[in-house]
Amino acid sequence: MYSVTINKDKFEVNKEKDGFQVNKSLIEWDITKLEDRRYHILAKHQSYNLELIEHNAEEKTLKVKLNNKTVTLSIKDRYDLLLEKLGMNNTAGSKAKDIKAPMPGLIFDIKVKVGDEVQKGDHVLVLEAMKMENIIKSPGDGVVKEIKVSKGASVEKNQVLIQF
C-alpha cells in the first residue's frame, strides 16, 4: 500500500495483479516506454504523455510532466505511514547530517564548496545513475565541512559524499 500526494490531493494506491487500485477503484492502464524517462499511457480510453523530470529517492518524490503539466508526487510506503502514525517521521530535526549516495552512480556536478552554508532543500550535487541525473538536496541546515568526492567520481550506495 502506498500513499501518493499530488499537490494537496492524497490517493491510496495498491498494486493488484490486474493493475492498480486507486482509492479502492481498479485502474486498468496500458503503459509503453517511448524512450528514457518518457512514457505513453492509455487509461479509461484517454491518452497521456508522461515524462520523468526528477527523482529524489531520499525525499521519496517524483517530478513529472503529464501532458505538459508539471506536478510533484510524494510517495509514502507502508513503513513511512507507520512511522508517521507513531509520530517518528520527523525526529531528526533540521540540522544537516552527512549526505550519503542513495544509489551507485557517477558524480556529475558538485554545487557547493567547503564552508558554504546550506539550507534544507538546497541542491548540493548531481548524481548520475542509470542515465538519469538525480539532484541531491541538503537534508537540513548546516555548513559544509568536507566534500568526500570529486566531479566524475564513481560512488557506491551509502557512500558518504558530503559532511556537515
Side-chain angles (χ1 to χ4, degrees):
M1 201 278 283
Y2 296 90
S3 174
V4 179
T5 304
I6 303 172
N7 298 327
K8 293 183 180 183
D9 298 323
K10 286 192 177 190
F11 301 91
E12 183 179 302
V13 180
N14 290 302
K15 184 164 177 18
E16 304 290 332
K17 64 181 176 183
D18 298 336
F20 286 90
Q21 207 175 50
V22 179
N23 291 343
K24 300 185 181 175
S25 295
L26 186 65
I27 304 293
E28 294 181 30
W29 61 353
D30 182 33
I31 185 165
T32 305
K33 185 174 185 174
L34 301 174
E35 56 187 54
D36 192 37
R37 296 179 160 216
R38 294 195 51 208
Y39 301 86
H40 182 260
I41 301 169
L42 286 174
K44 293 185 178 181
H45 306 292
Q46 292 198 4
S47 176
Y48 301 93
N49 291 310
L50 179 95
E51 179 181 358
L52 176 62
I53 297 171
E54 180 182 325
H55 172 243
N56 185 325
E58 189 172 310
E59 292 182 13
K60 297 186 178 185
T61 60
L62 294 173
K63 185 182 274 188
V64 298
K65 190 182 286 187
L66 184 62
N67 287 348
N68 292 319
K69 182 180 178 188
T70 303
V71 294
T72 301
L73 292 85
S74 174
I75 302 168
K76 295 180 182 178
D77 62 20
R78 62 183 178 180
Y79 301 110
D80 297 322
L81 295 170
L82 179 61
L83 288 173
E84 191 174 278
K85 186 176 179 182
L86 295 171
M88 299 172 62
N89 59 328
N90 200 11
T91 58
S94 65
K95 188 171 189 295
K97 298 179 180 162
D98 295 345
I99 295 178
K100 296 181 180 180
M103 64 194 85
L106 294 171
I107 301 299
F108 184 74
D109 194 15
I110 300 174
K111 305 280 187 186
V112 295
K113 59 186 182 303
V114 174
D116 283 356
E117 284 190 34
V118 295
Q119 304 294 317
K120 181 177 180 172
D122 286 352
H123 297 190
V124 293
L125 58 87
V126 179
L127 176 68
E128 185 179 286
M130 298 182 295
K131 298 182 183 177
M132 293 193 306
E133 292 178 9
N134 300 282
I135 297 172
I136 308 299
K137 298 178 182 177
S138 174
D141 302 344
V143 177
V144 177
K145 286 185 182 173
E146 186 176 0
I147 299 172
K148 298 249 184 204
V149 292
S150 60
K151 190 174 177 179
S154 179
V155 297
E156 296 298 321
K157 183 176 180 173
N158 291 324
Q159 180 178 336
V160 176
L161 307 174
I162 296 176
Q163 289 184 322
F164 293 92

